[in-house]
Amino acid sequence: AQTVTQSQPEMSVQEAETVTLSCTYDTSESDYYLFWYKQPPSRQMILVIRQEAYKQQNATENRFSVNFQKAAKSFSLKISDSQLGDAAMYFCAYRSAAGGGADGLTFGKGTHLIIQP
Amino acid sequence: NAGVTQTPKFQVLKTGQSMTLQCAQDMNHEYMSWYRQDPGMGLRLIHYSVGAGITDQGEVPNGYNVSRSTTEDFPLRLLSAAPSQTSVYFCASSPRGGLLAKNIQYFGAGTRLSVL
């Protein structure tokens, strides 16, 4: 079974600064997908960014980028120019490519991101 | 533009009561899943379905039943609620795997359930 570990229960950053959230995972599979989801106080799960394991290039979505290190099984999220609206819980998640990923996501326990004005 | 719709948004039950959490999606997705979210635990998979008539257990299935009679609906049943089932429940759907599908799961807004 796969496991996802987020070692930072809480992070704090000044507005406009850059912050990196850590995620490591354990799997014996070679083909999989990794995701970062954002959960604001509204509870809605919002996809931030995704990465295919077969791609060496790190994914980027505007101010959000990842550092994907497949050999180290590491998948960190970097948020540049932090904004007050970025304050939320952030979850790292893994999805197997086997069977088309039918059996859902495996989540980490989350990192609570605080933005200081 | 509804996406994944969960009802109700909030529910309070007494121990031993039964209820069904509803989930419907209008995106014609084959895959649907139920998760529960507890403080400090992240989201954990309860049950999932790969299509109408096909369901399987996830990480924490005990105390929950599911069925999938149509592509659109995937209800979660609590037959005899227990305080340990107090949680926030999320339903999610995704298209069958493939490059175009991007393997993204789309989540409903969640149901907060309290069992007294």
Short mmCIF file of all heavy atoms in Angstrom, two decimals, chain A residues 6 33 35 37 39 41-47 50 52 54-55 89 91 94-110, chain B residues 9-10 31-33 35 37 40-45 48-50 88 90 94-99 102-112:
data_model
loop_
_atom_site.label_atom_id
_atom_site.label_comp_id
_atom_site.label_asym_id
_atom_site.label_seq_id
_atom_site.Cartn_x
_atom_site.Cartn_y
_atom_site.Cartn_z
N GLN A 6 3.29 14.14 5.11
CA GLN A 6 3.54 15.59 5.15
C GLN A 6 4.06 15.89 6.55
O GLN A 6 3.31 15.79 7.52
CB GLN A 6 2.26 16.36 4.85
CG GLN A 6 1.78 16.17 3.43
CD GLN A 6 0.50 16.93 3.14
OE1 GLN A 6 -0.56 16.34 2.94
NE2 GLN A 6 0.59 18.26 3.13
N TYR A 33 0.45 9.25 -10.26
CA TYR A 33 0.21 10.68 -10.35
C TYR A 33 0.28 11.27 -8.94
O TYR A 33 -0.12 10.63 -7.97
CB TYR A 33 -1.16 10.97 -10.97
CG TYR A 33 -1.34 10.37 -12.34
CD1 TYR A 33 -1.78 9.06 -12.50
CD2 TYR A 33 -1.06 11.12 -13.47
CE1 TYR A 33 -1.92 8.51 -13.75
CE2 TYR A 33 -1.20 10.57 -14.74
CZ TYR A 33 -1.64 9.27 -14.87
OH TYR A 33 -1.78 8.72 -16.12
N PHE A 35 -0.57 14.91 -6.63
CA PHE A 35 -1.42 16.10 -6.63
C PHE A 35 -1.18 16.92 -5.36
O PHE A 35 -0.84 16.37 -4.31
CB PHE A 35 -2.91 15.73 -6.66
CG PHE A 35 -3.30 14.82 -7.80
CD1 PHE A 35 -3.17 13.45 -7.68
CD2 PHE A 35 -3.81 15.35 -8.97
CE1 PHE A 35 -3.53 12.60 -8.72
CE2 PHE A 35 -4.19 14.51 -10.01
CZ PHE A 35 -4.05 13.14 -9.88
N TYR A 37 -3.75 19.45 -3.27
CA TYR A 37 -5.08 20.03 -3.14
C TYR A 37 -5.04 21.09 -2.04
O TYR A 37 -4.36 20.94 -1.03
CB TYR A 37 -6.11 18.97 -2.76
CG TYR A 37 -6.65 18.17 -3.92
CD1 TYR A 37 -6.01 17.00 -4.35
CD2 TYR A 37 -7.80 18.56 -4.60
CE1 TYR A 37 -6.50 16.26 -5.41
CE2 TYR A 37 -8.30 17.82 -5.66
CZ TYR A 37 -7.65 16.67 -6.06
OH TYR A 37 -8.15 15.94 -7.12
N GLN A 39 -7.48 23.23 0.66
CA GLN A 39 -8.77 23.23 1.32
C GLN A 39 -8.89 24.48 2.18
O GLN A 39 -8.39 24.53 3.30
CB GLN A 39 -8.96 21.97 2.17
CG GLN A 39 -10.37 21.85 2.74
CD GLN A 39 -10.57 20.61 3.59
OE1 GLN A 39 -9.72 20.26 4.41
NE2 GLN A 39 -11.70 19.93 3.40
N PRO A 41 -11.14 27.42 4.42
CA PRO A 41 -12.16 27.21 5.47
C PRO A 41 -13.52 26.79 4.95
O PRO A 41 -14.31 26.20 5.67
CB PRO A 41 -12.21 28.58 6.15
CG PRO A 41 -10.84 29.13 5.96
CD PRO A 41 -10.42 28.67 4.60
N SER A 42 -13.82 27.06 3.70
CA SER A 42 -15.09 26.63 3.11
C SER A 42 -15.18 25.11 2.98
O SER A 42 -16.26 24.56 2.73
CB SER A 42 -15.27 27.24 1.73
OG SER A 42 -14.30 26.71 0.82
N ARG A 43 -14.08 24.42 3.16
CA ARG A 43 -13.99 22.94 3.11
C ARG A 43 -13.89 22.39 1.69
O ARG A 43 -13.62 21.21 1.54
CB ARG A 43 -15.22 22.30 3.79
CG ARG A 43 -14.96 21.69 5.10
CD ARG A 43 -16.14 20.96 5.68
NE ARG A 43 -17.31 20.80 4.88
CZ ARG A 43 -18.55 21.00 5.36
NH1 ARG A 43 -18.72 21.42 6.59
NH2 ARG A 43 -19.60 20.81 4.59
N GLN A 44 -14.11 23.21 0.70
CA GLN A 44 -14.04 22.72 -0.67
C GLN A 44 -12.62 22.26 -1.01
O GLN A 44 -11.66 22.94 -0.68
CB GLN A 44 -14.46 23.83 -1.64
CG GLN A 44 -14.50 23.42 -3.10
CD GLN A 44 -15.64 22.44 -3.39
OE1 GLN A 44 -16.77 22.64 -2.98
NE2 GLN A 44 -15.33 21.37 -4.11
N MET A 45 -12.49 21.12 -1.65
CA MET A 45 -11.18 20.61 -2.09
C MET A 45 -10.90 21.16 -3.48
O MET A 45 -11.64 20.89 -4.43
CB MET A 45 -11.19 19.08 -2.12
CG MET A 45 -11.36 18.44 -0.75
SD MET A 45 -9.94 18.69 0.31
CE MET A 45 -8.76 17.60 -0.45
N ILE A 46 -9.82 21.92 -3.60
CA ILE A 46 -9.48 22.59 -4.85
C ILE A 46 -8.14 22.07 -5.35
O ILE A 46 -7.15 22.11 -4.63
CB ILE A 46 -9.39 24.11 -4.62
CG1 ILE A 46 -10.72 24.65 -4.08
CG2 ILE A 46 -9.00 24.82 -5.92
CD1 ILE A 46 -10.63 26.04 -3.52
N LEU A 47 -8.12 21.57 -6.58
CA LEU A 47 -6.87 21.09 -7.14
C LEU A 47 -5.94 22.26 -7.44
O LEU A 47 -6.33 23.21 -8.10
CB LEU A 47 -7.15 20.31 -8.42
CG LEU A 47 -5.91 19.77 -9.15
CD1 LEU A 47 -5.23 18.71 -8.29
CD2 LEU A 47 -6.29 19.22 -10.51
N ARG A 50 -0.84 19.18 -10.51
CA ARG A 50 -0.69 17.73 -10.64
C ARG A 50 0.60 17.43 -11.38
O ARG A 50 1.10 18.25 -12.15
CB ARG A 50 -1.86 17.13 -11.41
CG ARG A 50 -2.00 17.67 -12.80
CD ARG A 50 -3.26 17.14 -13.47
NE ARG A 50 -3.15 15.75 -13.85
CZ ARG A 50 -2.62 15.35 -14.99
NH1 ARG A 50 -2.15 16.21 -15.85
NH2 ARG A 50 -2.57 14.06 -15.28
N GLU A 52 2.64 14.03 -13.40
CA GLU A 52 2.72 12.64 -13.83
C GLU A 52 4.11 12.11 -13.52
O GLU A 52 5.11 12.78 -13.80
CB GLU A 52 2.46 12.51 -15.33
CG GLU A 52 1.07 12.90 -15.76
CD GLU A 52 0.97 14.33 -16.23
OE1 GLU A 52 1.77 15.17 -15.77
OE2 GLU A 52 0.09 14.62 -17.05
N TYR A 54 5.86 9.91 -14.94
CA TYR A 54 6.72 9.61 -16.10
C TYR A 54 7.33 10.88 -16.70
O TYR A 54 8.19 10.82 -17.56
CB TYR A 54 5.94 8.84 -17.17
CG TYR A 54 4.77 9.58 -17.77
CD1 TYR A 54 4.95 10.49 -18.82
CD2 TYR A 54 3.49 9.38 -17.29
CE1 TYR A 54 3.88 11.17 -19.37
CE2 TYR A 54 2.41 10.05 -17.83
CZ TYR A 54 2.61 10.95 -18.87
OH TYR A 54 1.54 11.61 -19.42
N LYS A 55 6.87 12.04 -16.23
CA LYS A 55 7.40 13.30 -16.74
C LYS A 55 8.52 13.80 -15.83
O LYS A 55 8.32 13.92 -14.61
CB LYS A 55 6.31 14.35 -16.83
CG LYS A 55 5.33 14.14 -17.97
CD LYS A 55 4.40 15.33 -18.10
CE LYS A 55 3.47 15.17 -19.31
NZ LYS A 55 2.54 16.31 -19.45
N MET A 89 -5.55 24.71 4.32
CA MET A 89 -4.88 23.42 4.48
C MET A 89 -4.47 22.94 3.09
O MET A 89 -5.23 23.06 2.13
CB MET A 89 -5.83 22.39 5.10
CG MET A 89 -6.05 22.56 6.57
SD MET A 89 -4.61 22.18 7.57
CE MET A 89 -4.46 20.42 7.31
N PHE A 91 -3.08 19.58 1.01
CA PHE A 91 -2.93 18.13 1.06
C PHE A 91 -2.17 17.64 -0.16
O PHE A 91 -2.50 18.00 -1.30
CB PHE A 91 -4.30 17.44 1.10
CG PHE A 91 -5.07 17.68 2.37
CD1 PHE A 91 -6.02 18.68 2.45
CD2 PHE A 91 -4.84 16.90 3.49
CE1 PHE A 91 -6.74 18.90 3.61
CE2 PHE A 91 -5.54 17.10 4.65
CZ PHE A 91 -6.50 18.12 4.72
N TYR A 94 -1.61 10.97 -3.67
CA TYR A 94 -1.03 10.01 -4.63
C TYR A 94 -2.15 9.23 -5.28
O TYR A 94 -3.14 8.86 -4.63
CB TYR A 94 -0.12 9.05 -3.85
CG TYR A 94 0.42 7.87 -4.63
CD1 TYR A 94 1.73 7.87 -5.08
CD2 TYR A 94 -0.37 6.75 -4.88
CE1 TYR A 94 2.24 6.79 -5.78
CE2 TYR A 94 0.13 5.66 -5.58
CZ TYR A 94 1.43 5.68 -6.02
OH TYR A 94 1.94 4.61 -6.72
N ARG A 95 -1.98 8.96 -6.57
CA ARG A 95 -2.95 8.11 -7.26
C ARG A 95 -2.21 7.15 -8.17
O ARG A 95 -1.40 7.57 -8.99
CB ARG A 95 -3.92 8.95 -8.07
CG ARG A 95 -5.07 8.13 -8.65
CD ARG A 95 -6.13 9.01 -9.28
NE ARG A 95 -7.37 8.26 -9.46
CZ ARG A 95 -8.47 8.77 -10.01
NH1 ARG A 95 -8.48 10.02 -10.42
NH2 ARG A 95 -9.55 8.04 -10.15
N SER A 96 -2.49 5.88 -8.02
CA SER A 96 -1.86 4.87 -8.87
C SER A 96 -2.38 4.99 -10.30
O SER A 96 -3.53 5.34 -10.53
CB SER A 96 -2.18 3.48 -8.32
OG SER A 96 -1.76 2.48 -9.21
N ALA A 97 -1.51 4.70 -11.25
CA ALA A 97 -1.94 4.65 -12.65
C ALA A 97 -2.47 3.28 -13.01
O ALA A 97 -3.10 3.11 -14.05
CB ALA A 97 -0.78 5.02 -13.57
N ALA A 98 -2.23 2.28 -12.16
CA ALA A 98 -2.71 0.92 -12.42
C ALA A 98 -4.23 0.92 -12.38
O ALA A 98 -4.84 1.53 -11.51
CB ALA A 98 -2.16 -0.04 -11.38
N GLY A 99 -4.85 0.25 -13.32
CA GLY A 99 -6.31 0.18 -13.35
C GLY A 99 -6.96 1.51 -13.64
O GLY A 99 -8.12 1.73 -13.30
N GLY A 100 -6.20 2.42 -14.23
CA GLY A 100 -6.77 3.73 -14.54
C GLY A 100 -6.97 4.60 -13.33
O GLY A 100 -7.66 5.62 -13.39
N GLY A 101 -6.39 4.20 -12.19
CA GLY A 101 -6.53 5.02 -10.99
C GLY A 101 -7.92 4.94 -10.39
O GLY A 101 -8.37 5.86 -9.73
N ALA A 102 -8.59 3.81 -10.56
CA ALA A 102 -9.97 3.71 -10.12
C ALA A 102 -10.13 3.75 -8.62
O ALA A 102 -11.17 4.16 -8.11
CB ALA A 102 -10.58 2.40 -10.66
N ASP A 103 -9.12 3.32 -7.88
CA ASP A 103 -9.29 3.16 -6.45
C ASP A 103 -8.92 4.39 -5.64
O ASP A 103 -8.48 4.30 -4.52
CB ASP A 103 -8.51 1.94 -5.94
CG ASP A 103 -7.05 2.00 -6.31
OD1 ASP A 103 -6.68 2.86 -7.13
OD2 ASP A 103 -6.28 1.20 -5.77
N GLY A 104 -9.11 5.54 -6.20
CA GLY A 104 -9.05 6.76 -5.41
C GLY A 104 -7.66 7.25 -5.08
O GLY A 104 -6.65 6.75 -5.57
N LEU A 105 -7.63 8.25 -4.23
CA LEU A 105 -6.40 8.93 -3.82
C LEU A 105 -5.98 8.51 -2.43
O LEU A 105 -6.81 8.23 -1.57
CB LEU A 105 -6.62 10.44 -3.83
CG LEU A 105 -6.90 11.11 -5.17
CD1 LEU A 105 -7.47 12.49 -4.97
CD2 LEU A 105 -5.63 11.18 -5.99
N THR A 106 -4.66 8.52 -2.21
CA THR A 106 -4.10 8.39 -0.87
C THR A 106 -3.57 9.76 -0.48
O THR A 106 -2.74 10.33 -1.17
CB THR A 106 -2.97 7.35 -0.84
OG1 THR A 106 -3.48 6.08 -1.26
CG2 THR A 106 -2.40 7.23 0.57
N PHE A 107 -4.07 10.26 0.67
CA PHE A 107 -3.73 11.62 1.09
C PHE A 107 -2.74 11.62 2.24
O PHE A 107 -2.71 10.72 3.07
CB PHE A 107 -5.00 12.35 1.57
CG PHE A 107 -5.90 12.81 0.48
CD1 PHE A 107 -6.88 11.98 -0.03
CD2 PHE A 107 -5.79 14.10 -0.03
CE1 PHE A 107 -7.73 12.41 -1.04
CE2 PHE A 107 -6.63 14.53 -1.04
CZ PHE A 107 -7.60 13.69 -1.54
N GLY A 108 -1.94 12.70 2.30
CA GLY A 108 -1.20 13.00 3.50
C GLY A 108 -2.12 13.65 4.52
O GLY A 108 -3.29 13.92 4.24
N LYS A 109 -1.57 13.95 5.70
CA LYS A 109 -2.39 14.50 6.77
C LYS A 109 -2.58 16.01 6.66
O LYS A 109 -3.37 16.58 7.41
CB LYS A 109 -1.78 14.16 8.12
CG LYS A 109 -1.81 12.66 8.42
CD LYS A 109 -1.31 12.35 9.81
CE LYS A 109 -1.41 10.85 10.09
NZ LYS A 109 -0.97 10.49 11.45
N GLY A 110 -1.88 16.63 5.76
CA GLY A 110 -2.10 18.04 5.50
C GLY A 110 -1.13 18.97 6.20
O GLY A 110 -0.55 18.63 7.24
N LYS B 9 -25.76 19.11 3.64
CA LYS B 9 -24.49 19.74 4.01
C LYS B 9 -24.15 19.49 5.48
O LYS B 9 -22.99 19.42 5.85
CB LYS B 9 -24.54 21.25 3.74
CG LYS B 9 -24.49 21.60 2.27
CD LYS B 9 -24.41 23.10 2.05
CE LYS B 9 -24.08 23.45 0.61
NZ LYS B 9 -24.79 22.68 -0.39
N PHE B 10 -25.17 19.40 6.31
CA PHE B 10 -24.97 19.14 7.74
C PHE B 10 -26.02 18.13 8.20
O PHE B 10 -27.15 18.12 7.69
CB PHE B 10 -25.13 20.41 8.58
CG PHE B 10 -24.20 21.52 8.19
CD1 PHE B 10 -24.60 22.50 7.29
CD2 PHE B 10 -22.93 21.60 8.73
CE1 PHE B 10 -23.73 23.52 6.93
CE2 PHE B 10 -22.07 22.61 8.37
CZ PHE B 10 -22.48 23.57 7.46
N TYR B 31 -15.82 6.80 -12.52
CA TYR B 31 -15.31 6.51 -11.19
C TYR B 31 -15.91 7.47 -10.16
O TYR B 31 -15.98 8.67 -10.38
CB TYR B 31 -13.79 6.65 -11.14
CG TYR B 31 -13.03 5.74 -12.08
CD1 TYR B 31 -11.71 6.02 -12.43
CD2 TYR B 31 -13.60 4.60 -12.62
CE1 TYR B 31 -10.99 5.20 -13.27
CE2 TYR B 31 -12.89 3.77 -13.47
CZ TYR B 31 -11.59 4.08 -13.80
OH TYR B 31 -10.88 3.26 -14.64
N MET B 32 -16.32 6.89 -9.02
CA MET B 32 -16.79 7.70 -7.89
C MET B 32 -16.25 7.12 -6.60
O MET B 32 -16.02 5.90 -6.50
CB MET B 32 -18.32 7.77 -7.87
CG MET B 32 -18.91 8.46 -9.09
SD MET B 32 -20.69 8.71 -8.99
CE MET B 32 -20.79 10.09 -7.82
N SER B 33 -16.05 7.99 -5.61
CA SER B 33 -15.43 7.58 -4.35
C SER B 33 -16.06 8.33 -3.19
O SER B 33 -16.57 9.44 -3.37
CB SER B 33 -13.93 7.89 -4.36
OG SER B 33 -13.28 7.37 -5.49
N TYR B 35 -14.90 9.57 0.77
CA TYR B 35 -13.83 9.75 1.73
C TYR B 35 -14.42 10.31 3.02
O TYR B 35 -15.44 10.98 3.01
CB TYR B 35 -12.79 10.77 1.23
CG TYR B 35 -12.07 10.40 -0.03
CD1 TYR B 35 -12.62 10.68 -1.28
CD2 TYR B 35 -10.81 9.81 0.01
CE1 TYR B 35 -11.95 10.35 -2.45
CE2 TYR B 35 -10.12 9.48 -1.15
CZ TYR B 35 -10.71 9.76 -2.37
OH TYR B 35 -10.03 9.44 -3.53
N GLN B 37 -13.02 12.71 6.39
CA GLN B 37 -11.93 13.56 6.84
C GLN B 37 -12.08 13.81 8.33
O GLN B 37 -13.06 14.40 8.78
CB GLN B 37 -11.92 14.91 6.09
CG GLN B 37 -10.76 15.80 6.50
CD GLN B 37 -10.74 17.12 5.77
OE1 GLN B 37 -11.75 17.58 5.24
NE2 GLN B 37 -9.57 17.74 5.68
N GLY B 40 -6.58 15.98 11.79
CA GLY B 40 -5.24 15.42 11.86
C GLY B 40 -5.04 14.15 11.07
O GLY B 40 -3.97 13.53 11.16
N MET B 41 -6.06 13.71 10.32
CA MET B 41 -5.94 12.42 9.62
C MET B 41 -5.95 12.56 8.12
O MET B 41 -5.78 11.57 7.42
CB MET B 41 -7.11 11.50 10.04
CG MET B 41 -7.08 11.09 11.48
SD MET B 41 -5.65 10.06 11.84
CE MET B 41 -6.04 8.60 10.91
N GLY B 42 -6.19 13.73 7.58
CA GLY B 42 -6.32 13.83 6.15
C GLY B 42 -7.61 13.14 5.68
O GLY B 42 -8.49 12.84 6.48
N LEU B 43 -7.70 12.86 4.41
CA LEU B 43 -8.87 12.17 3.85
C LEU B 43 -8.54 10.69 3.68
O LEU B 43 -7.46 10.34 3.19
CB LEU B 43 -9.26 12.76 2.48
CG LEU B 43 -10.07 14.05 2.49
CD1 LEU B 43 -9.20 15.24 2.82
CD2 LEU B 43 -10.76 14.25 1.15
N ARG B 44 -9.50 9.86 4.06
CA ARG B 44 -9.32 8.41 3.92
C ARG B 44 -10.45 7.82 3.10
O ARG B 44 -11.61 8.17 3.29
CB ARG B 44 -9.24 7.75 5.29
CG ARG B 44 -8.00 8.13 6.09
CD ARG B 44 -7.97 7.44 7.43
NE ARG B 44 -9.03 7.91 8.32
CZ ARG B 44 -9.36 7.32 9.47
NH1 ARG B 44 -8.74 6.22 9.85
NH2 ARG B 44 -10.31 7.83 10.22
N LEU B 45 -10.11 6.89 2.22
CA LEU B 45 -11.06 6.31 1.29
C LEU B 45 -11.95 5.29 1.99
O LEU B 45 -11.46 4.37 2.65
CB LEU B 45 -10.30 5.65 0.14
CG LEU B 45 -11.12 5.07 -1.01
CD1 LEU B 45 -11.85 6.17 -1.76
CD2 LEU B 45 -10.20 4.29 -1.95
N TYR B 48 -15.33 2.85 -3.13
CA TYR B 48 -15.24 3.45 -4.44
C TYR B 48 -15.98 2.57 -5.45
O TYR B 48 -16.32 1.41 -5.17
CB TYR B 48 -13.79 3.67 -4.87
CG TYR B 48 -12.96 2.42 -5.03
CD1 TYR B 48 -12.80 1.84 -6.28
CD2 TYR B 48 -12.33 1.84 -3.94
CE1 TYR B 48 -12.02 0.70 -6.43
CE2 TYR B 48 -11.56 0.70 -4.08
CZ TYR B 48 -11.40 0.13 -5.32
OH TYR B 48 -10.63 -0.99 -5.48
N SER B 49 -16.22 3.16 -6.62
CA SER B 49 -16.95 2.46 -7.67
C SER B 49 -16.33 2.80 -9.02
O SER B 49 -15.99 3.95 -9.28
CB SER B 49 -18.42 2.88 -7.66
OG SER B 49 -19.10 2.41 -8.81
N VAL B 50 -16.21 1.78 -9.86
CA VAL B 50 -15.65 2.00 -11.20
C VAL B 50 -16.74 2.06 -12.26
O VAL B 50 -16.44 2.23 -13.45
CB VAL B 50 -14.61 0.93 -11.57
CG1 VAL B 50 -13.47 0.95 -10.57
CG2 VAL B 50 -15.24 -0.45 -11.63
N VAL B 88 -16.34 14.62 8.53
CA VAL B 88 -16.77 15.30 7.31
C VAL B 88 -16.59 14.31 6.16
O VAL B 88 -15.52 13.71 6.01
CB VAL B 88 -15.96 16.58 7.05
CG1 VAL B 88 -16.42 17.23 5.75
CG2 VAL B 88 -16.10 17.55 8.22
N PHE B 90 -16.69 13.40 2.09
CA PHE B 90 -16.55 13.94 0.74
C PHE B 90 -16.81 12.85 -0.29
O PHE B 90 -16.32 11.73 -0.17
CB PHE B 90 -15.14 14.49 0.52
CG PHE B 90 -14.87 15.77 1.23
CD1 PHE B 90 -14.27 15.77 2.49
CD2 PHE B 90 -15.23 16.98 0.67
CE1 PHE B 90 -14.01 16.95 3.15
CE2 PHE B 90 -14.98 18.18 1.33
CZ PHE B 90 -14.38 18.16 2.57
N SER B 94 -14.33 10.98 -11.05
CA SER B 94 -13.31 11.21 -12.06
C SER B 94 -13.61 10.37 -13.28
O SER B 94 -14.27 9.31 -13.18
CB SER B 94 -11.91 10.87 -11.51
OG SER B 94 -11.82 9.51 -11.17
N PRO B 95 -13.16 10.83 -14.43
CA PRO B 95 -13.36 10.02 -15.63
C PRO B 95 -12.42 8.82 -15.63
O PRO B 95 -11.44 8.79 -14.88
CB PRO B 95 -13.03 10.99 -16.77
CG PRO B 95 -12.11 11.99 -16.14
CD PRO B 95 -12.52 12.11 -14.70
N ARG B 96 -12.72 7.85 -16.45
CA ARG B 96 -11.83 6.70 -16.57
C ARG B 96 -10.44 7.18 -16.95
O ARG B 96 -10.28 8.16 -17.67
CB ARG B 96 -12.38 5.74 -17.64
CG ARG B 96 -11.65 4.42 -17.72
CD ARG B 96 -12.23 3.56 -18.84
NE ARG B 96 -13.63 3.26 -18.63
CZ ARG B 96 -14.07 2.23 -17.90
NH1 ARG B 96 -13.21 1.42 -17.33
NH2 ARG B 96 -15.36 2.03 -17.78
N GLY B 97 -9.42 6.51 -16.48
CA GLY B 97 -8.04 6.93 -16.66
C GLY B 97 -7.64 7.09 -18.11
O GLY B 97 -8.21 6.51 -19.02
N GLY B 98 -6.66 7.89 -18.35
CA GLY B 98 -6.17 8.16 -19.69
C GLY B 98 -5.60 9.57 -19.72
O GLY B 98 -5.88 10.37 -18.85
N LEU B 99 -4.85 9.86 -20.75
CA LEU B 99 -4.18 11.16 -20.81
C LEU B 99 -5.18 12.31 -20.80
O LEU B 99 -4.99 13.31 -20.12
CB LEU B 99 -3.28 11.24 -22.04
CG LEU B 99 -2.03 10.36 -22.01
CD1 LEU B 99 -1.26 10.48 -23.31
CD2 LEU B 99 -1.15 10.74 -20.83
N LYS B 102 -6.60 13.06 -17.40
CA LYS B 102 -5.67 13.74 -16.50
C LYS B 102 -5.73 13.20 -15.07
O LYS B 102 -5.11 13.75 -14.18
CB LYS B 102 -5.91 15.25 -16.49
CG LYS B 102 -5.68 15.91 -17.84
CD LYS B 102 -5.78 17.41 -17.73
CE LYS B 102 -5.49 18.04 -19.08
NZ LYS B 102 -5.56 19.52 -19.00
N ASN B 103 -6.50 12.13 -14.87
CA ASN B 103 -6.56 11.48 -13.56
C ASN B 103 -6.90 12.43 -12.42
O ASN B 103 -6.42 12.27 -11.31
CB ASN B 103 -5.24 10.77 -13.26
CG ASN B 103 -5.33 9.30 -13.59
OD1 ASN B 103 -5.94 8.53 -12.85
ND2 ASN B 103 -4.77 8.90 -14.70
N ILE B 104 -7.73 13.39 -12.68
CA ILE B 104 -8.12 14.37 -11.67
C ILE B 104 -9.42 13.94 -11.03
O ILE B 104 -10.35 13.54 -11.71
CB ILE B 104 -8.27 15.76 -12.29
CG1 ILE B 104 -6.92 16.26 -12.81
CG2 ILE B 104 -8.84 16.75 -11.27
CD1 ILE B 104 -7.03 17.53 -13.62
N GLN B 105 -9.49 14.02 -9.72
CA GLN B 105 -10.74 13.79 -9.02
C GLN B 105 -11.38 15.13 -8.69
O GLN B 105 -10.71 16.07 -8.28
CB GLN B 105 -10.50 13.01 -7.72
CG GLN B 105 -10.25 11.54 -7.94
CD GLN B 105 -10.66 10.69 -6.75
OE1 GLN B 105 -10.57 11.12 -5.62
NE2 GLN B 105 -11.10 9.47 -7.01
N TYR B 106 -12.70 15.17 -8.89
CA TYR B 106 -13.48 16.36 -8.60
C TYR B 106 -14.31 16.08 -7.35
O TYR B 106 -15.01 15.08 -7.27
CB TYR B 106 -14.39 16.69 -9.78
CG TYR B 106 -13.63 16.98 -11.05
CD1 TYR B 106 -13.20 15.95 -11.88
CD2 TYR B 106 -13.32 18.29 -11.40
CE1 TYR B 106 -12.48 16.21 -13.04
CE2 TYR B 106 -12.60 18.56 -12.57
CZ TYR B 106 -12.18 17.52 -13.37
OH TYR B 106 -11.46 17.77 -14.50
N PHE B 107 -14.23 17.00 -6.40
CA PHE B 107 -14.85 16.79 -5.10
C PHE B 107 -16.14 17.58 -4.93
O PHE B 107 -16.27 18.70 -5.43
CB PHE B 107 -13.89 17.20 -3.99
CG PHE B 107 -12.77 16.21 -3.77
CD1 PHE B 107 -11.63 16.24 -4.55
CD2 PHE B 107 -12.87 15.24 -2.79
CE1 PHE B 107 -10.61 15.32 -4.36
CE2 PHE B 107 -11.85 14.32 -2.59
CZ PHE B 107 -10.72 14.36 -3.38
N GLY B 108 -17.07 16.98 -4.17
CA GLY B 108 -18.22 17.71 -3.70
C GLY B 108 -17.84 18.62 -2.54
O GLY B 108 -16.69 18.61 -2.09
N ALA B 109 -18.81 19.37 -2.03
CA ALA B 109 -18.55 20.36 -0.98
C ALA B 109 -18.49 19.75 0.41
O ALA B 109 -18.13 20.43 1.37
CB ALA B 109 -19.61 21.46 -1.02
N GLY B 110 -18.84 18.47 0.54
CA GLY B 110 -18.74 17.79 1.82
C GLY B 110 -20.02 17.82 2.62
O GLY B 110 -20.88 18.70 2.45
N THR B 111 -20.15 16.81 3.50
CA THR B 111 -21.26 16.73 4.47
C THR B 111 -20.64 16.60 5.85
O THR B 111 -19.85 15.69 6.09
CB THR B 111 -22.15 15.50 4.20
OG1 THR B 111 -22.79 15.65 2.94
CG2 THR B 111 -23.19 15.35 5.30
N ARG B 112 -21.01 17.52 6.74
CA ARG B 112 -20.52 17.43 8.12
C ARG B 112 -21.54 16.64 8.93
O ARG B 112 -22.69 17.04 9.07
CB ARG B 112 -20.33 18.81 8.73
CG ARG B 112 -19.81 18.77 10.17
CD ARG B 112 -19.53 20.15 10.72
NE ARG B 112 -18.41 20.80 10.06
CZ ARG B 112 -17.14 20.59 10.36
NH1 ARG B 112 -16.83 19.75 11.34
NH2 ARG B 112 -16.19 21.23 9.72
#
